[in-house]
Each structure stands twice: as structure tokens, then as C-alpha cells.
Amino acid sequence: MANDKPKVEFIDNPNPLRTKVKVKGGDPSDMLAKAEESVQKLGGEFETIFSDNVTALAAAMADVRQGGMTRERALIAMRRLLHDLRGQAGTFGYPLVSHIGDSACKFIDLSEDFGPTETDVLAMHINALQAIRQAKIKGDGGAVGRELMDGLRKVILKYNAGAELD
Amino acid sequence: MKAYSLDNVSALVVDDNRFMRTIIVNVLRGLSIHHVAEARDGYEALEELRATPIDLIVMDWEMEGMNGMQLLQTVRSGKRGVNPLIPVIVVSANTIARNVIQARDAGMTEFLAKPVSAASLYARIVSIIESPRRFVRTGSYFGPDRRRRFEADYVGPRRRTEDQQRTGSLDDLDAVKRA
């Protein structure tokens, strides 16, 4: 019993990163603005990716509805696309796309079974992304964005309550 | 926040999405980190870590191939010739608590929720520079100390076994609080 006490060892981290940097003086706002500018130059590429991903999501959903791709395979493919969108869209001024992608990923992750009703809920998320692409909605989308998010929230609440979806 | 010159830092970006890698590489280069290596998954990252001296890893969590969790565990294990003390920033769009706790318990240094911006990534790097944490090795964990704050006059519950032995038992804490 004497050796039951878990051994805890502390190691002082030499922090090699600290030895490699120098304080420049002033604040970093100019450097951050320059770095952000170089990221925002990728905005055009993101818009192409967004459009392509929405097309791929709609195609995968149509395939599932027609009984083509199995739900499991389609879900993996769709979650991947939605996960990429939720991670990238906010960087380029599309937080609404990020929110919808996040809502869809969480819905997939938290659904134990994925049947026709769950497919309908996911399809509504994809429809919302198609609407954003078509109307070229940037930012939070204002009133239209709120309407889209409220609509999805209500659908998920209904689903959670076990009610019939419209 | 101070402005640091990061010219001498070498970083490794690990993400299975090419475009996401490009975003992070652009941020790091914009922050004057000129040597930025890239890897598509944990396997490629380990190859890169063996071949090149790397000071900082910025990695995705959900990756095909060897994922973030497996990569971080391998790095912290010190096996395969990798420095186990290297700072690791986990970048993820999946911010549910379970995911963040998993990354913390695998030994991450910092967590960055997507979307990534130059300011948010720089803030994590500055935190590593200015607030380094000692490493802890227990039977089940090796990584940066998960306690970020040390309060000398802390009177709350002491959950570590050695703390409990030092204070007698948790029941005694009421007496400590009253004192």
C-alpha cells in the first residue's frame, strides 16, 4: 500500500519559444493588420469553395433521397463539407454560414439514429446555405439571417420535442 | 499586447484541409514567421518533426489519417524522436466541451476556436511566450500544467491526492475556511 501514492513530477519548461523572439516595441496592430490582409486576399477562393461545397451538399442530399448513396456514407461526406464551412466561413465575413454549418454538424454529432426525419432536418440546413449562396448574403445576414437561424432553431426544437416537422 | 519579432521561430501547420492550411500559413507568415512547414495529417507531421527543428505546432483536431488526438499523444509521449515539450496550439471548429477537454487532457498548450484571425492566433502565441506553464507528469498525464493560476491563499477543495494528504482530509477544509 505504501506505493499507492501517484507520483507527480514537475518539469520546468525551458520555453524555447521565448528565447527565439524579441520584443519589437510599440503595439502589434500594424503587423496584425498586414497578416489579416494577406488572409483576406484568399476571400475569392473561399467564395468558390463555399459555392462548390453547397453544390456537393445538395447533390449528396439528392442522392440520399433517391436511395443512391447510403445514409452513412453520405453523412460522413456531408459532415466533412459542413465542418470545413463552419471553420472557414467566419474568417471571410460569413458568420451566418459558420453558424448554420455548426448547427448542422452538432445535429449530426448528437443524433443517435439518422432516419428520414433527421435527413429532413439536415436538408433544411442545406437549403438555408443554398439560399445564402443565391442571395449572396454576407455578415450575419440582418433580418433574413435572423429568419433563417430562427427557422432552423424552431425545427430542431420541434424535432427534440418529438413533434411533426412541417 | 506587446509586438514580438517572430522571424527566428519555425512552425508546423497540420491540417488535412489544404485551404485551411493556407489560411494559417498566411497568418503565420504575416506575423513574420518565415519558416512554416506543412503536413496533411499526423503521420506527415511526425516525419516533419523528425526532419526539421520546429518551435511551434499549430494543428487541427479532426483529421483523416492520424488525427489531432493521436498526434498530440505521440508528441507528448516523447517517442519517435520528437521533443515532448513543444508548444501545441489546437485549432478546431468543434468547440463542444468534450472536444476541448479531450485536447486539454492530451496535453495541448492552447486551444483556438475557429474562425481563425491574425489577432486570435497571435494572442495564443503571445500567451505561450509570456505565460509559459511548467510540465507535469503523472501516471495518466504528461503535458503543460492544466492549472493556469496559482493562488497562495486558495481555500477551495484540493483534489490531488498529495494535497489531500497534506491537508488531512477534504472535511478539514471547512475548518480551514473558517479560520
Side-chain angles (χ1 to χ4, degrees):
Chain A
M1 293 297 283
N3 291 330
D4 282 354
K5 182 182 166 188
K7 213 171 124 188
V8 179
E9 181 189 354
F10 293 102
I11 299 150
D12 283 327
N13 186 352
N15 196 4
L17 202 55
R18 196 169 200 163
T19 64
K20 295 225 167 173
V21 302
K22 283 184 222 140
V23 179
K24 284 204 284 196
D27 71 69
S29 52
D30 285 350
M31 178 176 68
L32 294 177
K34 194 181 128 209
E36 194 59 46
E37 194 183 315
S38 90
V39 172
Q40 292 308 316
K41 282 181 186 161
L42 301 167
E45 192 176 344
F46 169 73
E47 283 170 13
T48 305
I49 288 169
F50 170 46
S51 182
D52 290 350
N53 281 13
V54 172
T55 301
L57 283 164
M61 182 53 76
D63 205 17
V64 168
R65 295 254 198 238
Q66 287 161 15
M69 210 189 299
T70 64
R71 278 212 179 88
E72 197 182 338
R73 270 186 56 213
L75 264 186
I76 292 168
M78 286 191 273
R79 193 194 174 282
R80 187 78 237 174
L81 293 164
L82 290 160
H83 176 70
D84 289 344
L85 284 181
R86 75 171 163 174
Q88 296 165 7
T91 298
F92 299 101
Y94 290 88
L96 185 58
V97 172
S98 271
H99 291 319
I100 292 171
D102 189 48
S103 171
C105 285
K106 282 178 179 152
F107 182 74
I108 294 170
D109 292 347
L110 298 173
S111 296
E112 285 173 13
D113 297 310
F114 220 87
T117 310
E118 289 77 12
T119 304
D120 285 342
V121 175
L122 186 57
M124 288 177 203
H125 285 81
I126 294 170
N127 291 344
L129 291 172
Q130 283 181 299
I132 292 169
R133 177 178 67 173
Q134 196 173 351
K136 298 187 163 80
I137 299 171
K138 276 198 100 168
D140 65 6
V144 177
R146 277 193 297 279
E147 201 178 311
L148 281 172
M149 284 308 294
D150 284 348
L152 290 174
R153 213 168 286 128
K154 279 179 191 157
V155 166
I156 290 173
L157 286 174
K158 266 189 177 180
Y159 171 84
N160 288 343
E164 287 270 313
L165 303 182
D166 297 330
Chain B
M1 199 156 43
K2 286 178 187 165
Y4 286 95
S5 168
L6 305 172
D7 308 43
N8 294 324
V9 173
S10 59
L12 172 64
V13 177
V14 194
D15 200 306
D16 59 350
N17 184 288
R18 179 202 59 81
F19 187 60
M20 198 64 226
R21 282 200 310 277
T22 306
I23 292 171
I24 295 172
V25 168
N26 274 32
V27 171
L28 295 175
R29 295 218 167 109
L31 298 176
S32 77
I33 299 181
H34 301 303
H35 183 265
V36 185
E38 295 181 48
R40 284 179 295 189
D41 66 10
Y43 297 113
E44 280 194 9
L46 290 172
E47 290 297 314
E48 196 63 46
L49 286 164
R50 272 193 291 266
T52 320
I54 296 290
D55 305 308
L56 171 71
I57 302 174
V58 181
M59 61 182 248
D60 188 21
W61 196 243
E62 289 185 27
M63 290 185 286
E64 289 172 5
M66 183 192 276
N67 65 28
M69 168 91 119
Q70 293 163 322
L71 173 60
L72 184 50
Q73 285 173 336
T74 307
V75 169
R76 293 295 181 234
S77 75
K79 292 174 186 165
R80 306 209 199 178
V82 175
N83 171 14
L85 303 174
I86 194 164
V88 175
I89 300 175
V90 171
V91 183
S92 181
N94 191 344
T95 54
I96 57 171
R98 188 183 56 205
N99 199 45
V100 181
I101 290 167
Q102 266 185 352
R104 183 200 65 183
D105 290 347
M108 72 170 181
T109 315
E110 294 288 336
F111 187 89
L112 176 58
K114 290 178 186 173
V116 170
S117 69
S120 61
L121 186 49
Y122 182 69
R124 297 305 182 284
I125 294 170
V126 169
S127 173
I128 293 169
I129 295 166
E130 295 183 352
S131 311
R133 283 175 289 150
R134 63 187 178 175
F135 272 61
V136 179
R137 186 190 300 283
T138 69
S140 57
Y141 175 76
F142 179 74
D145 196 333
R146 289 170 285 187
R147 292 186 299 183
R148 287 177 183 258
R149 288 185 301 167
F150 298 90
E151 296 169 15
D153 55 350
Y154 177 73
V155 292
R158 292 180 180 273
R159 290 185 287 266
R160 288 195 171 151
T161 307
E162 64 176 50
D163 289 340
Q164 289 176 33
Q165 285 171 342
R166 199 182 304 138
T167 56
S169 76
L170 290 176
D171 296 336
D172 295 338
L173 284 171
D174 282 341
V176 174
K177 282 178 193 165
R178 283 194 299 271

